[in-house]
Amino acid sequence: HGTIELDHRLDFETVMFRIHHQLKADKDIQFDYDLFEAYISILPASWMTIDIGKKHVNWGMGSLFLPTDALNPRNIDTTDARQDIGFPGIILTIMPNENFSVISALSFENSLDNFESEYWKDFRYGLLLSAFFGNLQIKTSLIYEPDTVFRPGLAVSFDVEGFIFYSEAAVD
């Protein structure tokens, strides 16, 4: 049995393509294929990025448990690499300077399986604001899906001589 994991990236001045995937074969020559990410990044300005496709976005601050992440939540009961599989959607990142950023996301993962007249009800919307104030970082977020999810969140981290203390919370 074996595993092949590939990460392809093709960069141009204002456009970038990325595909990250994995193929596993067991001893019976049964194959398992995972597509982690496949997206195009468009950079219309130095302070703006538009990502279209399947992308993983770190929505919270934690490394294992991310209560604010309802866009592509991790399963903390497994160490399977598939927990980092992205969501299909559109992501707009605005970063006017190195201390402030705004990320808005539209996930249409649920609507792909159920494309009806009110397909927009299965969209999942996200908004994340992040700001640095010296050694302090504050993130506030909101994930919303009509009739299903309303999750505001707050995360704070503080760097003390190279040790980073962080806390993150969300209401569901």
Side-chain angles (χ1 to χ4, degrees), residues 18-129:
R18 181 172 186 222
I19 299 175
H20 180 199
H21 51 130
Q22 174 177 282
L23 180 64
K24 292 181 186 177
D26 62 17
K27 63 182 179 184
D28 298 323
I29 314 299
Q30 296 293 319
F31 293 99
D32 183 23
Y33 177 77
D34 289 315
L35 178 63
F36 299 123
E37 296 181 302
Y39 63 91
I40 180 173
S41 284
I42 303 166
L43 301 117
S46 62
W47 48 270
M48 179 189 301
T49 305
I50 302 168
D51 299 313
I52 303 168
K54 186 174 188 176
K55 183 176 181 183
H56 178 80
V57 177
N58 283 333
W59 206 255
M61 286 191 167
S63 56
L64 181 63
F65 181 61
L66 302 166
T68 59
D69 193 354
L71 278 175
N72 49 328
R74 292 181 175 201
N75 180 353
I76 62 171
D77 297 329
T78 182
T79 58
D80 190 351
R82 282 181 242 182
Q83 69 182 352
D84 287 331
I85 290 179
F87 64 90
I90 300 171
I91 302 159
L92 172 65
T93 303
I94 297 174
M95 194 170 179
N97 61 52
E98 61 186 26
N99 294 319
F100 183 74
S101 64
V102 177
I103 301 173
S104 60
L106 171 63
S107 170
F108 37 82
E109 184 168 28
N110 296 335
S111 62
L112 294 176
D113 297 332
N114 189 21
F115 203 78
E116 297 175 358
S117 62
E118 293 186 331
Y119 61 89
W120 57 271
K121 286 188 174 183
D122 291 325
F123 285 169
R124 188 166 284 193
Y125 307 88
L127 180 65
L128 176 71
L129 304 172

